[in-house]
Structures are given as structure tokens and as C-alpha cells.
Amino acid sequence: GCYGNTYHETPNLDRLAGEGIAFDRAYTTYPVCTPARAAIFTGRTPLQSGAYTNELPLYETVPTLGEIFGQAGYRVGYIGKWHLDGAGYLGGGKAARGFPDALWYDGEAYRADVGEAAFARGYGSYTSLELREADLPDALCWATRNTDRAVAFIEQHAESDEPFLLVVSHDEPHPPAVCPARLLDRVKLVDIELPATMRDPLEGKPLMQRRWQAADREKYDITPASMRDGIHRYLACNAFVDEQIGRLLDCIDRECRDNTAVIYSVDHGDFCGDFGLTGKGPAMYDAITRVPLLVRAPGVTRPGIRTTALTSTLDLMPTMLELAGITANTPLDGVSQCSTLANP
């Protein structure tokens, strides 16, 4: 909502933007899951980290965010989607280097936790990643369980003299865009504006993109009605994740607001019918490359600021390290944005 979407129900992210700084020109390093996430959690380009396409693991010689912060004396935790171990979309259920097993909650851990019946009810098969009926109750959704664990972690560590780093990595709204059915009423189908480029024939565009568009139209029967339904579920799922982010913000505000920086971003976008395409992949359109970036850092950012400074998700790790006063003893390809945070 804070980026101008009038039918996007995100009051908590809007609140975070109003209490900190919003970047209008933040871009993903690579609009595909694994390489994008590799850049975020190593500060290296996908080619340098080893995870340059989906299902490839990080090089063993490239330290993770958890390792660097842990070595600096931080209590670290990672909850949610990882997709950087080469073990498939759900992960292998084993904590990544630098993060403790006790808090690890990737897709495989979530699946084991809720049981096969509940998992199949909401998520089905991750081989197809098709949108599913949003019929899981709140308590069984992955984002809810991520947030439950995150709140418990913050409450446990907020009063400690030991600083902490916590990553909460929600899978949603990635297809199958699972959320409780009650969220479908939050956005009305009739209000959804379809992308103006949905019927663009992509003349003069790369052959790969034209083939991609043709395949999507054949597979998904892309019509105004089908795209409205898909976008409806996507927005409902975003509203659900926003609720979970609100729970986290409430906990931080209650326990440790004055000394805790909050950073929100995503690994990449989704076409949602823009140029007649779905998902994401090898293309450079704003729909999949431009991402939200919101930062609230006590003593650094000021409320309600927007900036047009150009940045990338590759810059997140260097920025976090500078905010924490940590010097990384490893090469980093991004640059810190702390000067922009303080003087946009």
C-alpha cells in the first residue's frame, strides 16, 4: 500500500514505512529465488556465491550472514524459507551454516511439524506450485508458525545484554499463495485493475520471452477472469503476511523497539499478468526486479522518509553489518546504504 497500490491491504507495512524510510528504487540482484536469496544472505553476487540458479547450494567458502554475526557475538536465528542448500524448494530440514538447529524452520521442518495431511491440504505438491484453495486455518499456515517462533525468540532475548539477529523468511505469497480463507474477503475482485500490458504481443522482445508468454497462456489460460482470480489470491496472501508482520512489529515495539533495527524486503517480484507473463525469471521488467525496501533503525532513520537513491538487495548485508558495527573479514560485492538511511 505504501507504494501506491490502492487495493493492497498492508496496514502494518504501511506503518513501518511511516516510521522509517521507504526506498522507491530498490532492485533485486537477480529475479529468481535461489540466486536472489544468495545475494541477500552472503552479500555476494550469485556467480560469486555459487548459487547462480535455482537448486544450487552456496559455496562452502562463502560465509553466511549468520556466521558473520555469530562470530561477532550475536545470538542469531533463522526462521522460514531458505532455498539455498540445493535440497529442493522445501529444503533439507537442516540448519544452514551459522544458524542454530533449534530455531531452524524451513519448508521440510514445517511439513514435518504440521503433518502430511495438513501440508497437502494447503500446499499440495511443490512440483506444480499451482494456486491452491486457501482453506488452511491460521494456526496451520507456515507464516503463522514462523511468526510464533519469532515472537518467542524476541521475547526470550530482548532483555539480554547479548545482541541478536533474527531473519524471518515468509514463503508466502509465493505460489501456491496459501492463506486462511477469511483473507479472500479483504480484497474485492471487481476492484482489481489488470496490468495494461497483459495483452502486449512482445513484438521485438527476445524470443525466449515470446515463448514464455505463449507457454503461460496455454498452461494457465490467461484471461482477464483468470488473472483477476490469481491476483486476488496473491493480494489476499500478502494481506495475511502483513498481519504476521504486524505481530512481529508489535512484539518488537513492546520488547526492544529503542535498540532494534527492522528491515523488510523480498527476494523478487511476480509478473501477475504483466506483459502476459506469470511468475518470474530471466527478464528485466520492473514487475519482477523492483522490490520494496523499508527500514526503521533507531537513531539513524527518521519517520516517513522516502528516497529515490538506487540500491540493490546485494546492499542489505553490508548495510546490516554497518548498523551493527561489524567489520566483515570477507569480500562483499554490495555497498552499505547507511549514509542514505541517515541522509536520504
Side-chain angles (χ1 to χ4, degrees):
C2 59
Y3 283 96
N5 189 321
T6 58
Y7 48 82
H8 218 323
E9 294 284 342
T10 56
N12 293 294
L13 288 174
D14 299 348
R15 156 188 163 197
L16 181 60
E19 294 172 344
I21 184 171
F23 283 77
D24 287 325
R25 293 203 302 159
Y27 289 84
T28 182
T29 311
Y30 192 136
V32 176
C33 297
T34 292
R37 303 173 76 76
I40 292 172
F41 298 120
T42 68
R44 306 299 306 273
T45 65
L47 285 176
Q48 295 296 329
S49 71
Y52 56 83
T53 191
N54 276 348
E55 317 313 340
L56 287 182
L58 296 170
Y59 289 141
E60 290 289 330
T61 54
V62 176
T64 67
L65 188 69
E67 289 177 297
I68 294 174
F69 269 79
Q71 291 165 3
Y74 273 66
R75 180 68 59 86
V76 298
Y78 192 104
I79 304 170
K81 175 182 174 179
W82 178 241
H83 203 192
L84 277 173
D85 55 9
Y89 191 86
L90 295 175
K94 181 181 177 182
R97 287 179 283 113
F99 294 104
D101 288 321
L103 207 62
W104 191 255
Y105 201 65
D106 66 1
E108 194 57 41
Y110 162 72
R111 182 177 190 166
D113 184 32
V114 298
E116 201 61 42
F119 180 84
R121 178 180 168 189
Y123 291 83
S125 170
Y126 262 88
T127 59
S128 64
L129 294 180
E130 293 176 352
L131 290 168
R132 304 273 296 175
E133 290 297 325
D135 64 351
L136 271 189
D138 288 60
L140 289 179
C141 289
W142 194 0
T144 303
R145 296 197 166 217
N146 284 342
T147 307
D148 291 344
R149 285 159 173 74
V151 167
F153 178 94
I154 294 168
E155 290 176 344
Q156 179 183 358
H157 297 293
E159 297 301 321
S160 171
D161 291 334
E162 190 178 33
F164 70 81
L165 164 74
L166 177 63
V167 179
V168 184
S169 180
H170 293 310
D171 176 63
E172 300 87 348
H174 191 291
V178 173
C179 67
R182 62 180 176 81
L183 273 302
L184 293 174
D185 294 332
R186 289 273 293 272
V187 179
K188 302 303 181 185
L189 278 171
V190 293
D191 295 333
I192 294 174
E193 296 179 14
L194 294 174
T197 61
M198 197 177 87
R199 292 298 183 185
D200 192 312
L202 295 182
E203 292 181 5
K205 299 295 184 180
L207 175 61
M208 182 280 302
Q209 291 181 27
R210 299 199 301 274
R211 287 178 172 171
W212 180 359
Q213 184 189 73
D216 272 2
R217 285 178 176 170
E218 179 179 354
K219 182 177 181 180
Y220 299 113
D221 185 29
I222 294 181
T223 64
S226 68
M227 282 313 306
R228 274 199 177 88
D229 182 62
I231 295 171
H232 184 214
R233 293 176 183 277
Y234 185 78
L235 293 174
C237 196
N238 271 310
F240 171 56
V241 174
D242 183 79
E243 289 183 350
Q244 302 307 313
I245 291 169
R247 291 178 60 202
L248 282 172
L249 291 175
D250 289 345
C251 178
I252 292 167
D253 289 353
R254 184 173 64 248
E255 301 287 343
C256 51
R257 177 181 175 123
D258 292 342
N259 64 352
T260 303
V262 179
I263 299 174
Y264 168 82
S265 193
V266 303
D267 48 8
H268 56 73
D270 190 292
F271 272 115
C272 286
D274 211 8
F275 294 99
L277 300 170
T278 63
K280 73 286 181 182
M284 291 294 289
Y285 299 105
D286 261 20
I288 58 172
T289 60
R290 194 160 68 95
V291 297
L293 175 58
L294 311 175
V295 182
R296 186 184 79 184
V300 180
T301 60
R302 302 192 305 276
I305 300 297
R306 302 193 76 92
T307 179
T308 57
L310 186 64
T311 187
S312 159
T313 50
L314 194 63
D315 298 336
L316 290 179
M317 186 162 158
T319 303
M320 294 170 67
L321 291 170
E322 184 173 349
L323 284 173
I326 298 172
T327 300
N329 192 23
T330 185
L332 296 174
D333 295 320
V335 295
S336 171
Q337 294 293 322
C338 281
S339 60
T340 302
L341 297 182
N343 299 291

